[in-house]
Amino acid sequence: MKKYKKCCCFNGCYTYVSGAQGTWSSSWGYDVNRASKIGATSAMESSYWYQFQVHGAGNVVLSHSIKQLSAHQSYSTTHYSAPLQQKQGRISASPQVHFTPIFNH
């Protein structure tokens, strides 16, 4: 079961989720500084590949990266794209993969 908590502050909106599995999407949020932090912490006992994407209006992919995470490894990166627009973070992995996503609009 996914648990959502949203916290908005001066530096941006962060979406925290525990128990994500397979493919995860954040809520849409307004970006003011063009930088979006995205990442994950693996809950798995072995390595798996993850795809990190930031989407804009019309589901256009604004940026993406691919990273292999080892067992229980944490990883985050900053994706840059146009400021002052709605953005959504998406993380994809194999359907059996459990992880905790990180996304800052």
Side-chain angles (χ1 to χ4, degrees), residues 17-61:
V17 177
S18 60
Q21 181 179 352
T23 300
W24 173 85
S25 298
S26 75
S27 59
W28 286 91
Y30 191 74
D31 169 53
V32 294
N33 66 0
R34 80 180 201 92
S36 298
K37 180 179 178 181
I38 189 167
T41 299
S42 171
M44 304 302 289
E45 297 296 329
S46 56
S47 297
Y48 286 93
W49 287 95
Y50 294 75
Q51 178 175 301
F52 303 95
Q53 296 181 329
V54 176
H55 288 246
N59 287 320
V60 173
V61 177

Side-chain angles (χ1 to χ4, degrees), residues 36-101:
S36 298
K37 180 179 178 181
I38 189 167
T41 299
S42 171
M44 304 302 289
E45 297 296 329
S46 56
S47 297
Y48 286 93
W49 287 95
Y50 294 75
Q51 178 175 301
F52 303 95
Q53 296 181 329
V54 176
H55 288 246
N59 287 320
V60 173
V61 177
L62 301 174
S63 63
H64 75 278
S65 62
I66 297 172
K67 174 78 174 169
Q68 185 177 31
L69 300 185
S70 300
H72 304 288
Q73 181 183 359
S74 290
Y75 166 80
S76 66
T77 187
T78 302
H79 286 204
Y80 294 93
S81 55
L84 306 176
Q85 64 178 311
Q86 293 285 324
K87 294 183 181 175
Q88 180 186 52
R90 296 184 189 174
I91 301 172
S92 300
S94 296
Q96 76 275 13
V97 173
H98 293 267
F99 59 92
T100 300

